[in-house]
Coordinates of all heavy atoms in Angstrom, one line a residue:
G1 N 85.6 50.4 -11.3 CA 85.9 51.8 -11.2 C 85.3 52.3 -9.9 O 85.9 53.2 -9.2
Q2 N 84.0 51.9 -9.6 CA 83.4 52.3 -8.4 C 84.1 51.7 -7.2 O 84.1 52.4 -6.1 CB 81.9 51.8 -8.4 CG 81.0 52.5 -9.4 CD 80.6 53.9 -9.0 OE1 81.0 54.5 -8.0 NE2 79.7 54.5 -9.7
L3 N 84.6 50.5 -7.3 CA 85.3 49.9 -6.1 C 86.5 50.7 -5.7 O 86.9 50.7 -4.5 CB 85.8 48.5 -6.5 CG 84.7 47.4 -6.5 CD1 85.3 46.1 -7.0 CD2 84.2 47.2 -5.1
I4 N 87.1 51.5 -6.6 CA 88.3 52.2 -6.2 C 88.0 53.7 -6.1 O 88.9 54.6 -6.1 CB 89.5 52.0 -7.2 CG1 89.1 52.5 -8.6 CG2 89.9 50.5 -7.2 CD1 90.3 52.7 -9.5
A5 N 86.8 54.1 -6.0 CA 86.4 55.5 -5.9 C 86.8 56.0 -4.6 O 85.9 56.2 -3.7 CB 84.9 55.6 -6.2
R6 N 88.1 56.3 -4.4 CA 88.6 56.9 -3.2 C 89.4 58.1 -3.5 O 90.0 58.2 -4.6 CB 89.5 55.8 -2.6 CG 88.8 54.5 -2.2 CD 87.8 54.7 -1.1 NE 87.3 53.4 -0.6 CZ 86.2 52.9 -1.2 NH1 85.5 53.5 -2.2 NH2 85.6 51.7 -0.8
P7 N 89.6 59.0 -2.5 CA 90.3 60.3 -2.8 C 91.6 60.1 -3.4 O 92.0 60.9 -4.4 CB 90.3 60.9 -1.4 CG 89.0 60.5 -0.8 CD 88.9 59.0 -1.2
I8 N 92.5 59.2 -2.9 CA 93.8 59.0 -3.4 C 93.8 58.7 -4.9 O 94.7 59.2 -5.7 CB 94.6 58.0 -2.6 CG1 96.0 57.9 -3.0 CG2 94.0 56.6 -2.7 CD1 96.9 57.1 -2.1
F9 N 92.9 57.8 -5.3 CA 92.9 57.4 -6.8 C 92.3 58.5 -7.6 O 92.7 58.8 -8.7 CB 92.1 56.1 -6.9 CG 92.8 54.9 -6.2 CD1 92.1 54.2 -5.2 CD2 94.0 54.5 -6.6 CE1 92.7 53.1 -4.6 CE2 94.6 53.4 -6.0 CZ 94.0 52.8 -5.0
D10 N 91.2 59.1 -7.0 CA 90.5 60.2 -7.8 C 91.3 61.4 -8.0 O 91.2 62.0 -9.2 CB 89.2 60.5 -7.1 CG 88.0 59.5 -7.3 OD1 88.3 58.5 -8.0 OD2 86.9 59.8 -6.8
R11 N 92.2 61.7 -7.1 CA 93.1 62.9 -7.3 C 94.0 62.6 -8.4 O 94.3 63.5 -9.3 CB 93.8 63.2 -6.0 CG 93.0 63.9 -5.0 CD 93.9 64.6 -3.9 NE 94.6 63.5 -3.1 CZ 94.1 63.0 -2.0 NH1 93.0 63.4 -1.5 NH2 94.8 62.1 -1.3
A12 N 94.6 61.4 -8.5 CA 95.5 61.0 -9.5 C 94.8 61.0 -10.9 O 95.3 61.5 -11.9 CB 96.1 59.6 -9.2
V13 N 93.6 60.4 -11.0 CA 92.8 60.3 -12.2 C 92.5 61.7 -12.7 O 92.6 62.0 -13.9 CB 91.6 59.4 -12.0 CG1 90.7 59.6 -13.2 CG2 92.0 58.0 -11.8
K14 N 92.1 62.6 -11.8 CA 91.8 64.0 -12.3 C 92.9 64.7 -12.8 O 92.8 65.6 -13.7 CB 91.1 64.7 -11.1 CG 89.6 64.2 -10.8 CD 89.0 64.9 -9.6 CE 87.6 64.4 -9.3 NZ 87.0 65.0 -8.1
K15 N 94.1 64.5 -12.3 CA 95.3 65.1 -12.9 C 95.5 64.6 -14.3 O 95.8 65.4 -15.2 CB 96.5 64.7 -12.0 CG 96.6 65.4 -10.7 CD 98.0 65.0 -10.0 CE 98.1 65.8 -8.7 NZ 99.3 65.4 -8.0
I16 N 95.2 63.3 -14.5 CA 95.4 62.8 -15.9 C 94.3 63.4 -16.8 O 94.6 63.8 -18.0 CB 95.1 61.2 -16.0 CG1 96.3 60.5 -15.1 CG2 95.1 60.7 -17.3 CD1 96.1 59.1 -14.8
L17 N 93.1 63.6 -16.3 CA 92.1 64.2 -17.1 C 92.4 65.6 -17.5 O 92.0 66.1 -18.6 CB 90.7 64.2 -16.4 CG 90.1 62.8 -16.0 CD1 88.8 63.0 -15.4 CD2 90.1 61.9 -17.3
D18 N 93.1 66.3 -16.6 CA 93.5 67.7 -16.8 C 94.8 67.9 -17.6 O 95.3 69.0 -17.8 CB 93.6 68.4 -15.5 CG 92.3 68.6 -14.8 OD1 91.3 68.6 -15.5 OD2 92.3 68.8 -13.5
G19 N 95.4 66.7 -18.0 CA 96.6 66.8 -18.8 C 97.9 67.0 -17.9 O 98.9 67.4 -18.4
R20 N 97.7 66.9 -16.6 CA 98.8 67.0 -15.7 C 99.5 65.7 -15.3 O 99.0 64.7 -15.6 CB 98.4 67.7 -14.4 CG 97.9 69.1 -14.6 CD 97.4 69.8 -13.2 NE 96.2 69.2 -12.7 CZ 95.9 69.0 -11.5 NH1 96.8 69.4 -10.5 NH2 94.7 68.5 -11.1
R21 N 100.7 65.8 -14.8 CA 101.4 64.6 -14.5 C 100.9 63.9 -13.2 O 100.8 64.7 -12.2 CB 102.9 64.9 -14.3 CG 103.8 63.7 -14.1 CD 105.2 64.1 -13.8 NE 106.1 63.0 -13.6 CZ 107.2 63.0 -12.9 NH1 107.6 64.2 -12.4 NH2 107.9 61.9 -12.7
A22 N 100.6 62.7 -13.3 CA 100.2 62.0 -12.1 C 101.2 61.1 -11.7 O 101.6 60.1 -12.4 CB 98.9 61.2 -12.4
L23 N 101.9 61.3 -10.5 CA 103.0 60.5 -10.1 C 102.6 59.0 -9.9 O 103.5 58.1 -10.0 CB 103.5 61.0 -8.8 CG 104.1 62.5 -8.8 CD1 104.6 62.9 -7.4 CD2 105.2 62.5 -9.8
L24 N 101.4 58.7 -9.6 CA 101.0 57.3 -9.5 C 100.8 56.5 -10.8 O 100.7 55.4 -10.7 CB 99.7 57.2 -8.6 CG 99.8 57.6 -7.2 CD1 98.4 57.6 -6.4 CD2 100.8 56.7 -6.4
L25 N 100.7 57.3 -11.9 CA 100.4 56.6 -13.2 C 101.3 55.5 -13.5 O 100.9 54.4 -13.9 CB 100.3 57.6 -14.3 CG 99.9 57.0 -15.6 CD1 98.5 56.4 -15.6 CD2 99.8 58.1 -16.7
P26 N 102.7 55.7 -13.4 CA 103.6 54.5 -13.7 C 103.3 53.3 -12.9 O 103.4 52.2 -13.3 CB 105.0 55.1 -13.4 CG 104.8 56.6 -13.6 CD 103.4 56.9 -13.1
L27 N 102.9 53.5 -11.6 CA 102.6 52.4 -10.7 C 101.3 51.8 -11.2 O 101.2 50.5 -11.2 CB 102.4 53.0 -9.3 CG 102.0 51.9 -8.2 CD1 103.1 50.8 -8.1 CD2 101.6 52.6 -6.9
F28 N 100.3 52.5 -11.6 CA 99.1 52.0 -12.1 C 99.3 51.0 -13.4 O 98.7 50.0 -13.5 CB 98.1 53.1 -12.5 CG 97.6 54.0 -11.4 CD1 97.1 55.3 -11.7 CD2 97.6 53.5 -10.1 CE1 96.7 56.1 -10.7 CE2 97.1 54.3 -9.1 CZ 96.7 55.6 -9.4
L29 N 100.2 51.4 -14.1 CA 100.4 50.8 -15.4 C 101.3 49.5 -15.3 O 101.5 48.8 -16.2 CB 101.1 51.7 -16.5 CG 100.3 52.9 -16.8 CD1 101.0 53.8 -17.8 CD2 98.9 52.6 -17.4

């Protein structure tokens, strides 16, 4: 998790934490 601690990933993850749609999530999965 620390290895990918970059703004592009953190913005997507924070959207998930807030219950918002993260466009990158399908790609992650």
Side-chain angles (χ1 to χ4, degrees):
Q2 290 282 8
L3 281 174
I4 62 161
R6 301 291 184 271
I8 185 173
F9 296 119
D10 281 2
R11 283 194 294 269
V13 169
K14 286 177 180 179
K15 286 182 179 180
I16 296 168
L17 298 186
D18 291 339
R20 294 182 288 148
R21 185 183 178 205
L23 296 177
L24 290 178
L25 184 58
L27 177 63
F28 295 157
L29 298 181

